[in-house]
Amino acid sequence: MDLLLPLLLVALLIPMFLGVRRQKREMAKVTEMQETLKVGDRVVTTSGLFGTVVEADDDSVDLEIAEDVVTTWLRASIREIRNEDATAVEESTDTEAPIAESGSDSVTASENSDGAEGSENSDAAPKLSKD
């Protein structure tokens, strides 16, 4: 009975200690990433805005979010650097859905998986329809 309380305290403190260490490591990685930003990096802000670094100061970065549209952000607001490999993987998952072979619910080649008619331009925005 005398060993139960110290054992219980150790069992509760070990996960807390490991969690704090993991959090510090993650914070150090994010801080290092924010300090190593350079011109030309494609980044994502904490609010989800995609942009390209066009100028970097000690505590702020200028992001080009559209052609000739440059905004200024704090370095701390940069969540991640988007490398070209990650964007290539995302683009490959955006391919058309496979065409069904049989059944009354089959989708023709001119329709996408939502049943909306496809257009000649595959880069066009999807058409919205009422559900």
Side-chain angles (χ1 to χ4, degrees), residues 10 12 16 28 35 37 41 44 56 63 76 86 95 98-99 103 129:
V10 168
L12 292 174
M16 281 180 35
E35 290 174 354
L37 287 174
D41 284 343
V44 179
L63 300 180
T95 59
I99 298 173
S129 62

Side-chain angles (χ1 to χ4, degrees), residues 43-79:
V43 297
V44 179
T45 64
T46 55
S47 61
L49 183 79
F50 289 77
T52 304
V53 177
V54 292
E55 187 177 335
D57 296 334
D58 289 338
D59 59 346
S60 65
V61 292
D62 290 345
L63 300 180
E64 183 176 32
I65 56 175
E67 191 172 326
D68 297 328
V69 179
V70 178
T71 58
T72 302
W73 294 76
L74 289 174
R75 277 186 184 262
S77 65
I78 304 300
R79 182 176 60 194

Side-chain angles (χ1 to χ4, degrees), residues 17-34:
F17 176 72
L18 294 175
V20 169
R21 285 186 56 202
R22 182 175 55 242
Q23 185 177 11
K24 283 184 180 180
R25 276 194 308 257
E26 291 296 320
M27 191 62 164
K29 283 175 31 179
V30 169
T31 303
E32 179 185 350
M33 178 271 306
Q34 290 171 347

